């Protein structure tokens, strides 16, 4: 199902993809897919560094992409 993201989350993701879309690796795409599978609030908490990745999200390529998103 389509997940409705808050305007801030949409801005961050749009800005990031506009900048990096051509250079995303397969690992980046996997990490982004995992993050976008989250519900809105958990995703925003991760983007705003209120929480850190846990469980299946707590892997190096997801953490690396999340750091890049937080700087976008």
């Amino acid at each position: 199902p389509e997940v409705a993201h808050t305007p801030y989350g949409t801005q961050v993701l749009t800005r990031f993809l506009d900048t990096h879309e051509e250079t995303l690796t397969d690992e980046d795409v996997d990490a982004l897919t995992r993050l976008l599978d989250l519900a809105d609030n958990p995703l925003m908490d991760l983007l705003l560094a209120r929480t850190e990745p846990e469980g299946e999200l707590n892997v190096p390529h997801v953490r690396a992409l999340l750091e890049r998103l937080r700087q976008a």
Side-chain angles (χ1 to χ4, degrees), residues 30-62:
D30 177 72
L32 191 56
T33 300
R34 291 179 190 223
L35 291 171
L36 292 176
D37 281 344
L38 293 171
D40 189 46
N41 288 340
L43 176 59
M44 288 310 305
D45 287 345
L46 286 170
L47 289 175
L48 295 172
R50 293 181 189 143
T51 60
E52 293 299 324
E54 296 178 351
E56 64 184 34
L57 293 177
N58 190 12
V59 292
H61 69 285
V62 173

Side-chain angles (χ1 to χ4, degrees), residues 2-21:
E2 186 76 15
V3 177
H5 295 288
T6 62
Y8 173 78
T10 300
Q11 291 171 9
V12 168
L13 294 169
T14 300
R15 197 164 50 239
F16 180 82
L17 289 173
D18 285 348
T19 303
H20 300 288
E21 183 176 16

